[in-house]
Structure formats: C-alpha cells, structure tokens
Amino acid sequence: MMVRSGNPALRLGTLMSAALLLLLSGGGIGWTQSAPPSLGLQQQGVQSAPSPATPASSAAPAREENPGLINEMGKLFDKLPSILPPIKSPSETMNDLSRLAKPSTMVSGRVACPLSSNGAPDCKQAADQLCQGKGYKEGKSLNADSAEKCSAKVLIPGRQRKPDDCRTDTFVTSALCQN
C-alpha cells in the first residue's frame, strides 16, 4: 500500500492503520506468549501475586501500563496537539506574510548596465541607479533589453565588418525598488 498524500497526518494515520491491521490479523503466524521454562529455579525477591479470589481489598487494583506498540502510539496521539503548532486562518497567514515582506514598488526607465571586470553586464548596479533616480534605496532588475551599437564605419558600402565595429549594450528597463 503506497500513500502519496502531502498531508503528514494522513500519512501517519495510514501507517498506524496498516500497523494495527498487521498486529490484529496475525495472518496465521503466531508467536508464543508462554513464560520461559524455569528449570526449577526461583528468583529471589519475587513474591506471588495474590489471587483475585482473595478478598484482600474491595477496590479494583490499578491497571498496569502495557508497554506495547499500541499503547505507545496512543501516548503519541495524546501528545500530538501540544507538539503541532496551532492552525491559522488564511487571513492570519496573509497578515503574517505581509509583515515579513518588504514594501516594494516597480519602476520603469532605461539605464545602461556597466560592464563588470569579467566583461559581463552588471545589471544590479543599473537597477540600483534606476531606483535611486526615483527616490528609492536599492533595486532588483525585472526586465532588461539589449541593443547592438555600431560605429558609422559599418555603414560604408563594401567595407568588411570587423569584430570591434559593434558592441552589445544591455539596459535595465524595469526594476523592483525597495527602501
């Protein structure tokens, strides 16, 4: 039996049900529960329990705790509400998330990304410049645009194009700004 639910309580309940079925069914396999042979030896300090036929006391004896699997699983279920956090309503969850999120605003503009030391465009710096121009502290690039910029030599008819005649410039066109 395979359970693929994302709900941990459902998975635990299914696992517990399967374990209970295995324990209760027995399936023809039996383990003896008889006491081991004593070989005529007696343990010191062990006294025989009074038989229930003797009216030593009128109160019922306290039930001994069974250290079996089912008993331990029952203890787990008794402790479960104290272990799990309380379930919040959707509005409480949204309020918690809104407290965690920083207020931000999307701005539009066009700022060129300067080249970094490895030759790649540094659009983080351009996003910061775009946001600072709008009165914010820093920003993250949301949208970028690239354009090829060539010298006028490329327009000369019949001239062979050289690798350094054109370069690609990258621009940040929108950014998410934060204070």
Side-chain angles (χ1 to χ4, degrees):
M1 170 188 338
M2 293 195 66
V3 176
R4 296 200 183 264
S5 171
N7 186 342
L10 183 61
R11 279 189 271 153
L12 180 63
T14 304
L15 181 64
M16 304 272 277
S17 300
L20 184 60
L21 282 174
L22 284 173
L23 288 174
L24 292 178
S25 68
I29 301 172
W31 289 279
T32 60
Q33 302 235 347
S34 61
S38 64
L39 301 175
L41 299 174
Q42 291 184 356
Q43 294 177 348
Q44 293 181 352
V46 175
Q47 299 176 354
S48 63
S51 65
T54 58
S57 69
S58 61
R63 186 174 174 195
E64 289 186 31
E65 188 170 327
N66 184 3
L69 176 67
I70 303 297
N71 189 37
E72 293 300 319
M73 290 165 62
K75 288 180 186 177
L76 177 69
F77 280 124
D78 290 341
K79 293 178 185 175
L80 199 58
S82 65
I83 294 172
L84 296 176
I87 297 175
K88 296 182 179 180
S89 69
S91 63
E92 290 173 330
T93 304
M94 290 304 294
N95 289 340
D96 290 346
L97 289 176
S98 66
R99 279 187 229 119
L100 294 174
K102 294 180 182 177
S104 57
T105 303
M106 188 181 94
V107 297
S108 297
R110 186 172 172 91
V111 176
C113 300
L115 294 178
S116 63
S117 60
N118 65 359
D122 183 10
C123 290
K124 169 66 175 143
Q125 186 178 354
D128 287 343
Q129 287 177 353
L130 179 62
C131 289
Q132 288 167 358
K134 305 283 183 176
Y136 294 96
K137 183 178 177 185
E138 64 176 346
K140 292 183 181 180
S141 173
L142 289 179
N143 196 10
D145 189 18
S146 296
E148 188 175 56
K149 188 173 188 177
C150 298
S151 68
K153 296 177 189 176
V154 175
L155 300 174
I156 299 174
R159 181 177 177 278
Q160 290 291 329
R161 189 171 175 178
K162 297 180 182 165
D164 61 340
D165 284 345
C166 297
R167 72 171 193 259
T168 302
D169 289 337
T170 307
F171 300 92
V172 171
T173 56
S174 63
L176 189 66
C177 301
Q178 297 176 343
N179 283 329

